Amino acid sequence: MVSGVASLLLSKNPNLIPMDLKNVINQTAVYVPPMVNDPLKFGNGLVKADRCLNALILGNGIIPDYPQNLTVEAIPGTNPVFTWQTVQPARQGEGGGYIEHYNFYRSIAPSKYKFTKVGEVEHNPLLGTHSWTDYSYTVQSGGQPYYFYRVSSYSNGKESITSNEVSVNAMLGWKIAGEGINTFEYELDQNYPNPFNPMTRISYSVKEAGMVELKIFDLLGREVTRLVNEQKQPGNYEVNFSASELASGVYIYKLQVNDYIAIKKMILLR
């Protein structure tokens, strides 16, 4: 049921990321007092598809409105500065709570959808726009999009979906303030989107040069396909997987490089 509702939300707003889907589904669930002593009821309550879909509409009164028009000024040699439109009116969401602050999130390529909170900005209803500066590094000329950013609003214990996304181009391997030279770690990320139909993206990182194998298996352990089977240098990588000829269900993907092995599940939902 949750997977189906997540697919519905994505059909209405493809800009949503996994964090948005989780927040909307959790925050719109209905939990009533009789569930407290019912051993068959647990979690955040009953999933309500209609409330989930309504929560995507500005002024929905269920969760706070999301910030709009996020932009970035990224001048080489300076810290990137982000600006977005102030959420109005200040009073938002069920219970009439006021916008308290904005949460700023960042993701590092190629894990574009693995966002972590890096900043918080207090809401000021008298301002037309709000801004935040990432002081952890300086912008480098050239390169590819490396840092991705989004912002959300927070009110009365609830968080909005995230804003539009902006990115900052940068050279891999630069010096980041307080961290020295940026290095890579072995890591296998959750595929995105998930559930998917029929295309999904798998991102992974390699710490040391070695033979990389990335395989897909069904639940019986039978190999479905081999996406990667080659020597790779340290770095971040991304590969697309098409399941157009496979049946709906749960599949396993496995990354093996040197002594590192990681396994995760993915859901094909037609």
Side-chain angles (χ1 to χ4, degrees):
M1 182 181 295
V2 171
S3 298
V5 172
S7 298
L8 271 176
L9 292 173
L10 283 172
S11 71
K12 292 296 182 181
N13 186 349
N15 185 53
L16 298 175
I17 55 177
M19 179 178 72
D20 291 325
L21 298 175
K22 178 181 178 180
N23 284 344
V24 169
I25 293 173
N26 283 347
Q27 294 178 143
T28 57
V30 176
Y31 192 83
V32 295
M35 295 181 183
V36 175
N37 298 316
D38 188 339
L40 300 179
K41 302 295 188 300
F42 57 92
N44 292 288
L46 299 176
V47 176
K48 303 289 288 183
D50 56 342
R51 277 172 59 85
C52 285
L53 293 172
N54 288 335
L56 300 183
I57 303 171
L58 290 172
N60 59 78
I62 302 172
I63 62 175
D65 288 344
Y66 60 91
Q68 299 182 67
N69 302 324
L70 176 63
T71 60
V72 58
E73 182 180 41
I75 302 174
T78 68
N79 303 116
V81 180
F82 303 86
T83 304
W84 62 95
Q85 186 176 321
T86 298
V87 173
Q88 295 290 356
R91 200 170 181 83
Q92 295 273 327
E94 293 179 353
Y98 287 93
I99 294 293
E100 299 169 22
H101 62 263
Y102 299 96
N103 292 325
F104 218 86
Y105 294 93
R106 183 178 71 189
S107 179
I108 302 176
S111 305
K112 185 178 177 183
Y113 302 100
K114 190 176 181 180
F115 283 84
T116 56
K117 184 177 175 180
V118 292
E120 188 173 296
V121 178
E122 184 178 353
H123 173 76
N124 185 342
L126 301 180
L127 299 177
T129 60
H130 283 70
S131 63
W132 180 79
T133 302
D134 192 340
Y135 291 105
S136 67
Y137 69 96
T138 56
V139 179
Q140 304 293 312
S141 59
Q144 300 295 321
Y146 185 63
Y147 278 147
F148 301 88
Y149 296 86
R150 291 177 179 237
V151 62
S152 67
S153 57
Y154 185 88
S155 169
N156 202 32
K158 290 190 174 183
E159 186 173 15
S160 73
I161 62 175
T162 55
S163 66
N164 60 293
E165 185 175 288
V166 297
S167 62
V168 176
N169 287 4
M171 300 294 290
L172 297 181
W174 68 51
K175 287 186 177 180
I176 299 179
E179 297 182 11
I181 297 296
N182 188 35
T183 59
F184 302 100
E185 297 293 335
Y186 291 120
E187 186 174 11
L188 177 63
D189 292 329
Q190 185 64 52
N191 64 299
Y192 182 85
N194 187 48
F196 67 100
N197 178 30
M199 294 291 298
T200 190
R201 182 186 303 109
I202 300 174
S203 301
Y204 63 94
S205 300
V206 176
K207 182 177 181 179
E208 299 175 347
M211 188 66 182
V212 175
E213 287 189 343
L214 180 59
K215 301 178 181 179
I216 309 294
F217 300 88
D218 62 21
L219 285 182
L220 297 178
R222 296 174 298 197
E223 183 176 326
V224 173
T225 187
R226 188 174 302 187
L227 297 178
V228 181
N229 184 32
E230 60 182 291
Q231 190 80 12
K232 294 285 189 182
Q233 296 299 313
N236 297 317
Y237 297 93
E238 184 178 277
V239 60
N240 292 320
F241 170 53
S242 174
S244 57
E245 298 181 359
L246 299 179
S248 296
V250 178
Y251 292 86
I252 306 295
Y253 60 104
K254 174 183 175 182
L255 174 69
Q256 182 168 356
V257 50
N258 298 325
D259 294 329
Y260 177 80
I261 297 177
I263 297 174
K264 291 185 180 292
K265 295 180 180 179
M266 62 172 67
I267 300 174
L268 174 59
L269 185 63
R270 297 192 182 281

